Amino acid sequence: MKFLVALYLCILTITAEQLNLQLTTSNVIVSSTALPDASEIKITYENGTKTCLKLNAAFRFEIAYLKKDRSNGTAIINMPSTAVPDRNDTICSKEAVNLFLTFQMGSENWTLSLDWTKKKDNYYVSGIYLAYIEDPNLFTDTLNPYAERSIGTDSLSKKLFETDTSSSYKCKSSQTYTIVTDEFTLDTSDVQVQAFSFDKNDKFSIAILCLADQDINKAVPFIVGGVLAALIIITLSAYVYARWRLTRNAAYNQL
């Protein structure tokens, strides 16, 4: 019986490790720095009567810079969840969304801009720019302390957060997007976004999941099924073993 209990615990441990593996292998981020809490953004137009964008997301920036010794460094910066839209620069309508988010890093203000492109049947982020200051407290040993920078592109090689016009895009898994090769990388998690079209309650429409989340959803039923099968086998084995012990004890008693 002790052996069966030990086997049971072993199976549970292995299953837990498998579940953890399934949940983490979709995470392509190798940095140990944790992603921040998700920001919640809502943009309206026509005096606040219509919504053109809802965005929940956690963003992290990996920015290359030059150190004093001329070696290359990488600053890993979490965008705080307190980021707010810049109402002066943000463009919001049923045909165009250009979001400017401002937030404070150290003593300086940073700005992240995201441009959505709308086609006939879908929409996606087509351009990203980050305006920032090389604060030496964030860019260790930087050669250019407090230099003003702007990095990004208005023509991404890979469409971000792409979904059809009647849906929202959702991706809980951590993802990495190269914005500018060897210079600027965007890490994301806990993303849900919808642009242009909303119902009267301004709620997210049915979500189209990213591939990483789809893979997790496909894997979990198989893992759970494996656990249940193992539990059934263990229970039957324990029952057979107990019956065998009872039969053997009864035979000894008769002798």
Side-chain angles (χ1 to χ4, degrees):
M1 181 62 76
K2 291 182 179 179
F3 169 76
L4 291 174
V5 172
L7 178 62
Y8 171 75
L9 293 175
C10 181
I11 290 175
L12 286 182
T13 301
I14 293 173
T15 302
E17 292 176 350
Q18 289 176 327
L19 280 170
N20 184 60
L21 178 64
Q22 291 294 333
L23 292 172
T24 57
T25 50
S26 63
N27 185 345
V28 293
I29 297 169
V30 296
S31 172
S32 60
T33 304
L35 281 160
D37 294 332
S39 300
E40 297 184 6
I41 307 297
K42 178 180 176 180
I43 307 297
T44 61
Y45 64 106
E46 293 189 4
N47 296 320
T49 60
K50 295 183 179 181
T51 300
C52 69
L53 177 71
K54 286 185 70 175
L55 170 65
N56 296 343
F59 290 158
R60 182 176 68 188
F61 316 118
E62 298 185 27
I63 308 168
Y65 68 99
L66 194 61
K67 293 185 175 183
K68 293 177 182 177
D69 62 2
R70 301 291 176 171
S71 64
N72 296 320
T74 301
I76 300 177
I77 310 294
N78 288 338
M79 188 182 80
S81 58
T82 53
V84 295
D86 185 327
R87 301 292 178 179
N88 294 323
D89 292 326
T90 294
I91 298 173
C92 179
S93 71
K94 62 181 181 179
E95 297 296 334
V97 176
N98 305 109
L99 174 64
F100 287 79
L101 292 175
T102 62
F103 51 95
Q104 193 167 35
M105 296 302 304
S107 59
E108 307 295 338
N109 288 324
W110 291 28
T111 300
L112 173 69
S113 66
L114 302 169
D115 297 336
W116 270 265
T117 294
K118 182 181 180 182
K119 298 295 185 181
K120 181 179 180 180
D121 298 319
N122 65 348
Y123 61 90
Y124 51 87
V125 173
S126 57
I128 294 181
Y129 277 93
L130 179 66
Y132 63 97
I133 306 294
E134 268 192 41
D135 186 333
N137 295 314
L138 302 173
F139 296 80
T140 305
D141 295 327
T142 176
L143 180 65
N144 303 291
Y146 298 105
E148 296 184 5
R149 305 288 191 194
S150 180
I151 190 170
T153 178
D154 55 8
S155 182
L156 290 167
S157 58
K158 180 179 180 180
K159 299 174 182 177
L160 269 63
F161 314 150
E162 184 178 13
T163 190
D164 62 68
T165 52
S166 62
S167 305
S168 64
Y169 170 92
K170 188 173 184 178
C171 192
K172 187 175 180 62
S173 301
S174 297
Q175 301 285 285
T176 292
Y177 300 96
T178 298
I179 307 304
V180 179
T181 302
D182 298 327
E183 293 186 40
F184 178 28
T185 298
L186 175 67
D187 302 329
T188 70
S189 71
D190 298 316
V191 174
Q192 186 164 13
V193 59
Q194 184 169 336
F196 303 109
S197 179
F198 289 86
D199 61 23
K200 293 181 179 180
N201 297 320
D202 282 346
K203 294 182 178 180
F204 284 115
S205 299
I206 295 174
I208 302 299
L209 299 181
C210 64
L211 290 177
D213 283 6
Q214 291 177 30
D215 290 342
I216 291 174
N217 289 343
K218 290 177 182 177
V220 169
F222 291 103
I223 295 173
V224 173
V227 173
L228 292 176
L231 291 176
I232 292 171
I233 292 171
I234 290 172
T235 301
L236 290 175
S237 299
Y239 173 77
V240 171
Y241 177 77
R243 292 290 299 175
W244 176 79
R245 286 289 301 271
L246 288 173
T247 302
R248 189 184 66 170
N249 290 340
Y252 281 144
N253 290 334
Q254 289 177 358
L255 292 176

